[in-house]
Amino acid sequence: MHDDVILEIRNVSKSFSGVQVLSGINMRVRKGEVHVVVGENGAGKSTLMKIISGVYQKDGGELLFEGKPIEVKSIRQMQEMGISIIHQEFNLLPNRTIAQNIFLGREPVKKRGIPVIDIEEMNAKSRELLGFLGLNVDPRTRVSSLGIAQQQMIEVAKALSFKSKVLIMDEPTATLTRNEISKLFEIIRKLKNEGVSIIYISHRLEELKEIADTISVLRDGALVGTLDASEATTGRIIKMMGGREITNQYHREFCTEVGEEVLRIDNLSSYRFKNVSLKVHRGEIVGISGLVGAGRTELIKAIFGFDRFESGEVVLFGKKYRRLNTSMTTRLKVGLVPEDRKDEGVIVEMPIRENIVHASLSQLFKNGILNKKTEAETANKYVKELGIVTNSIDKHVEYLSGGNQQKVVVAKWLCAQCDLILFDEPTRGIDVGAREEIYEIMNALVKQGKAVLMISSDMPELLGLCDRIYVMKDGRITQEFSHSEATQEKLLACSI
Ligand SMILES: Nc1ncnc2c1ncn2[C@@H]1O[C@H](COP(=O)(O)OP(=O)(O)OP(=O)(O)O)[C@@H](O)[C@H]1O
Ligand SMILES: [Mg+2]
């Protein structure tokens, strides 16, 4: 038993500016196993993984790789030794090709003549990796033109190119559809068969049964316990994570009488969607279902004025618009909680307080002076209301855990008193408890007569929350269902 441990974590601890984030963590990862790590938002999962992969230095404790103590100095050192990580938020360069991203900084060089990058070799090797992953794209494609799911696969390809013995995946399925998750699981099984160990972080407890061999639970920076997958039930894991029992998590009273129309789009078209028409009324939660790549994100970004549309019109609160930009929509009290929060939702190098009030500055300015006291009170109020885990509102958002960053984005739009909030994959990376909190926020919004339009790849979530659901496929709306008509089968049938 001892011999097949590839990575051992002994008594590892870490604090950031005096705040203890990890204390005395002990964990053993065996060769060829899928070791799942779960815990609520802010429990310390990503921090532990960053220590193992060389992003952060530990304060105390030991790491042993293949039985020998190791001194972790850099990410590259760990990659070369055989430990790679795919971060929760990707690190790809959008303007480079797939192959350039995979081989960044260690491009194959032509052996003869002047040393130049061997592009053909690089593309060929990339093609091979992509083939192994069952991904049918040209390695010369720019990363910016790929969807999130495909970018995820490029991260996997990159990790594989290092011949990793331990591959860490920090919430790999957060943005994937059921179909893509199955593909990823197939890949994980394939890697496992080749003896690769996978450390896998996820909030989707229901999917863990499919792949986990071992499950370790973190809570407030400490290890609560490690279970064999065969003895772990969802209920038991949730108890270990924080003890919150999940009942009917949606708590939705469906809308019986809709209010006035807040959004109508007529025949809206752009390069990614065609002739889309839909409506949202006060008091309603309206969902958009579909596969990743169906044009849902592009549609919602066009409504928010983030992207342009080519033809058609958007009617917001009764007024027609042929062009929109984000300052217009923000003034109209429309908010967007985007899929890619790091780039579009928050300003990571700014503190929580400034992020929260960012869309409501006009209310906080008095005679041209920002009232710092009001700003702090407002920010503290939302931090408390949404349960954002932080020791101070002055903490920069980049240092918050993924789930807590998401809550900051939601807080920003709540603070701006939005009448219509667009949510793109609202519970991506959110733990079970916090997920329920987000659902409650949506419920409260529509009860106050506001409106929600949401995209989700999580069908039970759409079915549990939405009064109406539109299904998109290849940039077009293929069907509309009322809450009572919609089923998972029907949604799927119209998406593929
Ligand atoms: N560089 C940093 N500086 C300061 N605090 C940090 C830093 N990185 C993480 N933290 C803090 O450490 C705690 C644990 O964060 P971590 O990202 O490890 O949580 P997590 O378990 O991955 O959560 P999630 O499920 O939301 O991704 C959080 O309170 C976070 O704010
Ligand atoms: Mg994390």
Side-chain angles (χ1 to χ4, degrees):
M1 163 86 192
H2 232 97
D3 287 342
D4 67 351
V5 172
I6 181 153
L7 175 72
E8 184 168 351
I9 301 165
R10 278 193 195 158
N11 208 18
V12 163
S13 61
K14 175 79 184 167
S15 54
F16 290 110
S17 32
V19 181
Q20 191 85 17
V21 170
L22 291 175
S23 47
I25 305 282
N26 289 298
M27 215 180 270
R28 281 179 176 174
V29 180
R30 284 173 295 159
K31 191 165 188 289
E33 78 162 342
V34 177
H35 194 120
V36 170
V37 179
V38 295
E40 292 195 332
N41 293 133
K45 305 178 296 294
S46 297
T47 306
L48 181 62
M49 296 310 135
K50 285 178 182 166
I51 288 174
I52 302 172
S53 54
V55 181
Y56 292 153
Q57 298 286 319
K58 58 184 167 20
D59 296 342
E62 255 190 308
L63 291 177
L64 286 88
F65 187 67
E66 297 180 322
K68 292 184 214 74
I70 49 167
E71 255 337 294
V72 185
K73 293 204 182 66
S74 69
I75 304 173
R76 186 46 62 89
Q77 174 210 353
M78 295 315 280
Q79 284 170 328
E80 273 156 16
M81 196 155 79
I83 302 182
S84 283
I85 181 165
I86 301 170
H87 289 287
Q88 197 165 2
E89 316 286 349
F90 305 154
N91 291 308
L92 297 172
L93 300 174
N95 292 321
R96 304 277 181 89
T97 67
I98 294 175
Q100 284 171 332
N101 268 283
I102 295 178
F103 288 98
L104 188 74
R106 51 196 179 99
E107 293 84 355
V109 173
K110 277 194 177 147
K111 300 266 164 12
R112 263 175 288 165
I114 316 160
V116 286
I117 294 178
D118 192 341
I119 295 175
E120 278 153 36
E121 164 86 4
M122 193 165 85
N123 287 336
K125 278 189 172 166
S126 302
R127 203 168 283 122
E128 201 179 304
L129 285 165
L130 297 173
F132 175 79
L133 297 175
L135 207 65
N136 190 17
V137 284
D138 190 320
R140 292 168 297 184
T141 315
R142 271 179 196 230
V143 163
S144 58
S145 67
L146 301 176
I148 295 245
Q150 285 181 323
Q151 291 187 23
Q152 173 96 54
M153 293 299 172
I154 305 311
E155 290 275 13
V156 176
K158 188 172 170 181
L160 291 184
S161 70
F162 281 99
K163 308 230 177 310
S164 304
K165 294 179 184 165
V166 175
L167 178 58
I168 304 169
M169 298 187 178
D170 196 348
E171 294 193 43
T173 59
T175 55
L176 305 187
T177 57
R178 191 53 247 179
N179 213 352
E180 290 157 340
I181 293 173
S182 306
K183 270 193 208 143
L184 180 73
F185 284 1
E186 247 168 64
I187 290 162
I188 289 181
R189 286 189 201 104
K190 221 165 162 181
L191 292 171
K192 224 175 104 160
N193 283 339
E194 305 203 348
V196 178
S197 310
I198 316 274
I199 305 181
Y200 186 98
I201 297 180
S202 177
H203 287 294
R204 298 194 181 193
L205 302 180
E206 67 285 5
E207 76 186 22
L208 302 184
K209 286 187 210 89
E210 284 183 59
I211 46 155
D213 295 305
T214 310
I215 301 173
S216 288
V217 184
L218 288 186
R219 177 170 169 180
D220 297 332
L223 183 79
V224 187
T226 297
L227 303 174
D228 204 79
S230 59
E231 48 176 358
T233 61
T234 309
R236 186 162 175 204
I237 298 172
I238 290 174
K239 267 221 176 84
M240 289 169 79
M241 275 168 58
R244 276 188 281 193
E245 289 277 356
I246 305 301
T247 46
N248 167 20
Q249 51 179 338
Y250 302 112
H251 304 291
R252 180 92 173 94
E253 290 159 34
F254 289 96
C255 185
T256 45
E257 213 174 308
V258 297
E260 70 187 81
E261 184 184 282
V262 288
L263 168 71
R264 190 177 82 232
I265 61 176
D266 288 324
N267 273 316
L268 208 67
S269 295
S270 86
Y271 73 108
R272 288 303 300 273
F273 52 83
K274 285 278 164 301
N275 298 323
V276 174
S277 298
L278 60 76
K279 284 180 192 169
V280 183
H281 303 91
R282 287 188 186 275
E284 271 189 317
I285 300 183
V286 175
I288 307 178
S289 184
L291 301 181
V292 169
R296 299 174 301 168
T297 294
E298 290 81 1
L299 173 68
I300 226 169
K301 278 189 180 169
I303 298 172
F304 186 60
F306 212 96
D307 286 351
R308 296 179 60 152
F309 49 88
E310 280 151 16
S311 60
E313 59 187 26
V314 176
V315 184
L316 279 165
F317 308 102
K319 247 186 112 186
K320 286 183 190 170
Y321 298 91
R322 289 195 179 276
R323 283 178 69 176
L324 282 169
N325 59 46
T326 52
S327 50
M328 289 162 78
T329 49
T330 308
R331 228 178 306 121
L332 289 166
K333 296 197 184 299
V334 177
L336 169 68
V337 179
E339 181 179 25
D340 186 352
R341 61 184 160 247
K342 195 171 115 196
D343 288 339
E344 295 163 1
V346 284
I347 302 172
V348 289
E349 54 284 324
M350 271 185 4
I352 297 172
R353 61 192 291 159
E354 286 177 31
N355 269 288
I356 290 182
V357 303
H358 195 72
S360 3
L361 288 173
S362 55
Q363 297 153 36
L364 295 169
F365 270 101
K366 280 224 172 73
N367 309 324
I369 300 162
L370 178 65
N371 186 334
K372 277 281 173 195
K373 194 167 157 253
T374 320
E375 181 191 78
E377 280 168 10
T378 311
N380 272 315
K381 176 178 153 227
Y382 286 103
V383 163
K384 202 165 155 228
E385 230 173 84
L386 301 191
I388 297 172
V389 181
T390 178
N391 53 344
S392 154
I393 52 167
D394 292 314
K395 192 165 190 168
H396 284 202
V397 168
E398 62 189 307
Y399 303 131
L400 288 183
S401 76
N404 284 300
Q405 290 184 358
Q406 176 76 326
K407 289 191 194 172
V408 172
V409 188
V410 175
K412 174 173 76 177
W413 298 122
L414 291 182
C415 180
Q417 315 274 326
C418 284
D419 285 306
L420 169 65
I421 304 191
L422 314 167
F423 286 89
D424 194 351
E425 303 288 0
T427 56
R428 170 187 165 196
I430 303 277
D431 72 49
V432 275
R435 196 178 289 204
E436 201 172 343
E437 287 164 14
I438 300 266
Y439 298 154
E440 259 160 38
I441 294 167
M442 290 182 174
N443 268 320
L445 283 170
V446 294
K447 270 198 187 139
Q448 290 161 27
K450 299 179 173 193
V452 168
L453 177 62
M454 66 182 282
I455 293 173
S456 177
S457 299
D458 185 335
M459 285 194 218
E461 174 173 288
L462 286 177
L463 296 169
L465 286 174
C466 297
D467 296 290
R468 284 184 299 118
I469 302 172
Y470 293 96
V471 185
M472 263 183 99
K473 182 190 163 192
D474 297 336
R476 291 172 192 272
I477 288 188
T478 49
Q479 196 58 267
E480 176 188 345
F481 295 104
S482 69
H483 165 69
S484 53
E485 297 162 338
T487 63
Q488 201 146 330
E489 293 71 36
K490 285 188 197 166
L491 293 183
L492 199 62
C494 307
S495 338
I496 52 176

